[in-house]
C-alpha cells in the first residue's frame, strides 16, 4: 500500500476484502438451502407463511449476490496487485480449476435469476420451481468446494507443490475439513441473517399481521441458525485435527501463540451467539399460548 497511511497495510486490506467476500458468499450459499426447504414446506403444509418467508429471503439473496461478486473482484485485484508471485503461481497451477469455476459461476448466476424471476410464472408448477432451486444449491456448493481447494492449499500445500498434480493440490490435507466446516457454517450464518432481517422488519412494520409474521420468521431463522451452530464445533474439531496432523507447528501458532487471541475472541463471540439465541427463545416463550409456565426454567 502507499506509505504514510497509518494502520493500513497489504495484510489488512486483503483481510478486509476477503472477509467481506466470504460473509456475503456464506449468505448467498447458505440461505438458498434454507429457502428451498421453506418453499417445499409451504407446498406440503399449505402454510402460506413458508412461501412468503422463502420469497422475502430470496429477495435479499438476489441483492447480496451482486455484492458477493463485487467484493470477490476486489479481492482478486488486491491479490494480483500486492501479492503478484503468489497470484501468478495460483492462477498458473489452478488454471483448469478456475476455468471450471467461471463456468459454474455463470451457471449459478443464471439459475439464481431464473429461480427468482420465475417465482410467479411457475406458481402453478411448484415442483419445477423447487427443482431449479435444488440445482442452484448443488451448483453453489460445487463452486464453494472448488474455491476451498485453493484456500486450503494456501494453508496446507502438499509436498513439492511446484511438481504436484492439480488433484494433489486441491485434495490437500485440510480440503475435506474446510468443506464440511464451511457448509455447516453457511447454513448457520444464513439462518441468523434471516433472523436479523426479520427482527428489522418486525421493528419497522406497522401492521399487526406483518409483525406476527416477522416474529415467526425470526423464530424459524433463529432455530435453523442454532441447530447448525450446534454441529459446527464438531466440524471445527475435524478441521483442526487435520491441521494438527499436517503440521503441529501451525496449530500451535494459531491456538497457543501469536494468533491465540483470535480464538479467545471467537470463543467469546460463540458464547454470545448462544446466549442471544437462547434469550430470544425465552422471550418468544412468553408470547406462546401455554408457554408461560416454562418461563421460569
Amino acid at each position: 500500500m502507499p506509505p504514510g497511511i497509518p494502520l493500513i497495510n497489504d495484510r489488512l486490506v486483503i483481510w478486509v476484502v476477503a472477509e467481506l467476500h466470504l460473509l456475503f458468499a456464506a449468505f448467498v450459499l447458505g440461505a438458498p438451502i434454507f429457502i428451498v426447504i421453506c418453499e417445499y414446506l409451504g407446498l406440503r403444509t399449505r402454510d402460506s407463511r413458508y412461501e412468503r418467508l422463502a420469497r422475502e429471503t430470496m429477495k435479499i439473496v438476489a441483492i447480496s449476490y451482486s455484492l458477493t461478486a463485487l467484493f470477490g473482484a476486489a479481492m482478486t485485484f488486491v491479490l494480483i496487485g500486492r501479492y503478484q508471485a503468489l497470484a501468478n503461481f495460483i492462477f498458473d497451477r489452478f488454471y483448469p480449476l478456475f476455468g471450471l469455476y467461471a463456468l459454474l459461476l455463470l451457471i449459478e448466476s443464471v439459475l439464481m435469476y431464473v429461480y427468482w424471476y420465475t417465482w410467479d410464472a411457475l406458481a402453478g408448477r411448484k415442483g419445477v420451481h423447487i427443482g431449479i432451486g435444488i440445482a442452484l444449491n448443488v451448483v453453489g456448493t460445487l463452486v464453494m468446494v472448488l474455491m476451498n481447494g485453493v484456500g486450503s492449499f494456501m494453508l496446507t500445500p502438499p509436498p513439492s507443490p511446484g511438481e504436484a498434480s492439480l488433484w494433489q493440490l486441491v485434495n490437500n490435507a485440510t480440503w475435506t475439513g474446510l468443506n464440511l466446516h464451511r457448509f455447516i457454517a453457511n447454513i448457520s450464518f444464513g439462518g441468523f441473517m434471516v433472523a436479523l432481517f426479520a427482527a428489522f422488519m418486525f421493528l419497522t412494520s406497522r401492521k399487526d399481521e406483518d409483525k406476527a409474521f416477522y416474529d415467526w420468521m425470526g423464530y424459524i431463522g433463529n432455530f435453523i441458525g442454532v441447530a447448525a451452530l450446534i454441529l459446527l464445533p464438531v466440524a471445527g474439531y475435524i478441521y483442526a485435527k487435520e491441521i494438527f496432523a499436517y503440521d503441529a507447528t501451525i496449530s500451535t501458532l494459531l491456538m497457543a501463540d501469536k494468533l491465540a487471541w483470535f480464538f479467545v475472541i471467537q470463543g467469546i463471540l460463540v458464547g454470545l451467539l448462544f446466549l442471544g439465541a437462547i434469550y430470544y427463545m425465552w422471550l418468544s416463550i412468553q408470547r406462546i399460548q401455554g408457554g408461560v409456565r416454562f418461563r421460569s426454567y
Side-chain angles (χ1 to χ4, degrees):
M1 296 302 295
I5 304 178
L7 304 178
I8 300 296
N9 54 55
D10 293 338
R11 182 186 177 93
L12 178 64
V13 172
I14 192 67
W15 180 23
V16 171
V17 294
E19 190 65 41
L20 288 171
H21 173 63
L22 183 65
L23 289 173
F24 279 103
F27 177 66
V28 300
L29 287 174
I33 299 174
F34 176 80
I35 291 167
V36 171
I37 292 174
C38 286
E39 187 179 11
Y40 174 75
L41 289 174
L43 177 64
R44 287 298 301 272
T45 64
R46 303 299 178 183
D47 189 338
S48 61
R49 294 181 300 175
Y50 285 108
E51 175 77 10
R52 181 179 175 184
L53 188 159
R55 187 165 188 167
E56 295 205 14
T57 306
M58 192 61 206
K59 185 189 303 182
I60 311 171
V61 171
I63 297 171
S64 301
Y65 196 83
S66 300
L67 294 173
T68 306
L70 178 64
F71 285 116
M75 184 180 72
T76 303
F77 284 127
V78 174
L79 188 65
I80 294 174
R82 306 308 300 178
Y83 297 92
Q84 293 182 6
L86 174 63
N88 288 339
F89 179 86
I90 289 176
F91 285 113
D92 178 59
R93 297 309 314 278
F94 288 91
Y95 184 77
L97 185 144
F98 279 107
L100 180 59
Y101 169 77
L103 176 62
L104 289 176
L105 197 62
L106 176 63
I107 296 174
E108 182 189 16
S109 301
V110 171
L111 288 172
M112 192 277 294
Y113 286 112
V114 169
Y115 182 67
W116 169 237
Y117 286 109
T118 60
W119 206 292
D120 291 327
L122 295 177
R125 304 180 65 185
K126 273 298 178 184
V128 175
H129 193 253
I130 292 173
I132 297 173
I134 293 173
L136 170 63
N137 282 293
V138 171
V139 175
T141 302
L142 290 176
V143 168
M144 180 197 72
V145 167
L146 288 179
M147 286 300 97
N148 283 347
V150 181
S152 57
F153 160 79
M154 296 171 72
L155 177 64
T156 54
S160 303
E163 302 174 1
S165 66
L166 179 61
W167 174 245
Q168 289 172 331
L169 295 175
V170 173
N171 188 31
N172 56 77
T174 56
W175 186 43
T176 303
L178 183 59
N179 285 331
L180 179 63
H181 192 273
R182 278 200 65 192
F183 182 76
I184 297 174
N186 288 348
I187 297 175
S188 180
F189 185 72
F192 283 129
M193 288 299 294
V194 169
L196 173 63
F197 171 75
F200 175 78
M201 294 303 295
F202 175 85
L203 294 174
T204 56
S205 297
R206 301 291 184 182
K207 299 180 180 179
D208 290 339
E209 56 269 27
D210 287 336
K211 284 184 175 293
F213 168 76
Y214 288 118
D215 185 40
W216 173 82
M217 181 177 178
Y219 161 75
I220 296 296
N222 189 62
F223 177 82
I224 297 297
V226 172
L229 188 64
I230 291 173
L231 299 174
L232 198 55
V234 178
Y237 171 78
I238 294 172
Y239 184 40
K241 185 177 180 180
E242 290 179 345
I243 298 175
F244 267 98
Y246 176 82
D247 188 349
T249 305
I250 298 177
S251 303
T252 303
L253 176 67
L254 291 175
M255 301 181 184
D257 201 348
K258 293 182 179 180
L259 300 179
W261 68 278
F262 279 100
F263 284 87
V264 175
I265 295 175
Q266 182 191 47
I268 294 173
L269 292 176
V270 170
L272 290 175
L273 274 176
F274 275 109
L275 287 173
I278 291 170
Y279 183 63
Y280 178 85
M281 292 177 181
W282 182 76
L283 291 175
S284 299
I285 283 177
Q286 302 179 66
R287 298 192 297 273
I288 297 173
Q289 184 176 3
V292 180
R293 66 182 185 275
F294 299 107
R295 183 174 57 185
S296 60
Y297 298 104

